[in-house]
Amino acid sequence: MMASSIKIRSQRLDDYTEIKLLISHPMENGRNRDPLTNELIPAHFIRELLLQLNGASIIRADLGGSMSKNPFFSFRLKNSRGGDSLRVSWVDNLDQTDSAEHNLD
């Protein structure tokens, strides 16, 4: 089994929960050149990011090739409880997908 490309951390603070996501992905925009061959590197980027809390969608983001490699996201979530189930998934422009689940602190 291959390890997930998504790392999730959460921390309960005052009246909200801070969620941090790190996604391992090349995020190539299609305009960069390979330094060895000088050929264009094909576009390969996450086009959709979805966060679900206890099965309900709470964030859906359309992304593009202008994001950095291995993107990092941070969110603050109100009205969550310890043990709530957070599911994060993405789809890229090559229709590759990945997902990960995490129980909030």
Side-chain angles (χ1 to χ4, degrees):
M1 182 174 169
M2 196 168 142
S4 176
S5 65
I6 305 169
K7 292 182 180 173
I8 307 170
R9 300 287 182 266
S10 64
Q11 183 177 17
R12 182 80 184 151
L13 301 165
D14 295 332
D15 62 341
Y16 61 90
T17 301
E18 185 172 71
I19 300 167
K20 295 180 178 178
L21 306 175
L22 178 63
I23 303 174
S24 297
H25 195 280
M27 298 300 286
E28 283 293 341
N29 59 24
R31 295 184 298 267
N32 294 322
R33 293 190 178 272
D34 184 313
L36 299 176
T37 64
N38 204 30
E39 296 288 323
L40 285 173
I41 299 171
H44 187 196
F45 57 88
I46 296 171
R47 63 180 164 87
E48 181 180 303
L49 178 68
L50 179 65
L51 277 71
Q52 296 175 305
L53 184 66
N54 298 324
S57 294
I58 56 171
I59 295 177
R60 181 186 169 278
D62 294 325
L63 307 178
S66 61
M67 298 193 71
S68 67
K69 179 180 178 179
N70 301 327
F72 174 78
F73 301 93
S74 180
F75 307 97
R76 290 183 175 183
L77 181 63
K78 289 189 171 187
N79 302 324
S80 64
R81 296 186 180 129
D84 281 353
S85 176
L86 178 71
R87 184 174 192 274
V88 178
S89 60
W90 57 256
V91 179
D92 69 18
N93 66 318
L94 302 179
D95 290 330
Q96 295 174 336
T97 65
D98 197 6
S99 64
E101 294 191 23
H102 175 81
N103 289 327
L104 297 181
D105 292 336

